[in-house]
C-alpha cells in the first residue's frame, strides 16, 4: 500500500467520523467509504483536493457560456461573416 493513499484514506475516514458526531463502532465503515472515495479519485485522475477538476469545470462553464450566447440576427452575407 502506498503511504500517500493510507494517509489520505485515514484523514478522510477521520473526517467522516467527526462529521457523523464521532459514533462508536463505525471505524470500519468510515475507512471503507474513504477507500472507495480514494479509488474514485484515482479512476477519474482527479487530484485529491479537486483543484484540477475545479479548473476543468470552470473552463467548461466558460465554453458553455460562449455557446449559450444568442447569435445576432444578420441581414446579409457580409454581416453573417462578421458575426462568425
Amino acid at each position: 500500500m502506498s503511504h500517500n493513499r493510507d494517509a489520505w484514506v485515514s484523514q478522510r475516514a477521520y473526517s467522516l467520523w467527526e462529521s457523523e458526531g464521532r459514533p462508536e463502532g463505525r471505524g470500519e465503515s468510515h475507512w471503507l467509504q474513504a477507500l472507495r472515495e480514494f479509488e474514485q479519485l484515482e479512476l477519474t485522475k482527479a487530484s485529491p483536493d479537486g483543484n484540477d477538476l475545479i479548473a476543468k469545470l470552470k473552463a467548461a462553464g466558460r465554453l458553455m457560456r460562449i455557446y449559450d450566447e444568442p447569435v445576432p440576427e444578420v441581414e446579409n452575407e457580409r454581416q453573417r461573416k462578421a458575426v462568425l
Side-chain angles (χ1 to χ4, degrees):
M1 283 190 187
S2 168
H3 175 66
N4 289 338
R5 183 181 98 166
D6 288 347
W8 190 94
V9 171
S10 178
Q11 290 174 357
R12 178 63 181 143
Y14 184 82
S15 175
L16 291 168
W17 176 69
E18 281 192 322
S19 70
E20 290 184 11
R22 300 179 176 186
E24 292 290 325
R26 296 283 319 275
E28 185 177 351
S29 66
H30 292 135
W31 183 270
L32 291 174
Q33 181 179 342
L35 186 58
R36 284 191 300 271
E37 290 177 13
F38 181 85
E39 289 169 351
Q40 287 298 311
L41 287 172
E42 288 292 306
L43 289 174
T44 61
K45 298 194 185 288
S47 64
D49 63 2
N51 282 334
D52 62 335
L53 183 59
I54 291 169
K56 288 177 185 177
L57 290 172
K58 284 182 180 178
R62 283 192 293 272
L63 289 174
M64 290 172 65
R65 282 192 297 276
I66 290 170
Y67 288 110
D68 285 345
E69 293 174 0
V71 177
E73 293 291 323
V74 293
E75 294 177 11
N76 60 42
E77 184 67 21
R78 184 185 222 177
Q79 286 179 335
R80 188 175 72 76
K81 287 181 182 177
V83 169
L84 299 177

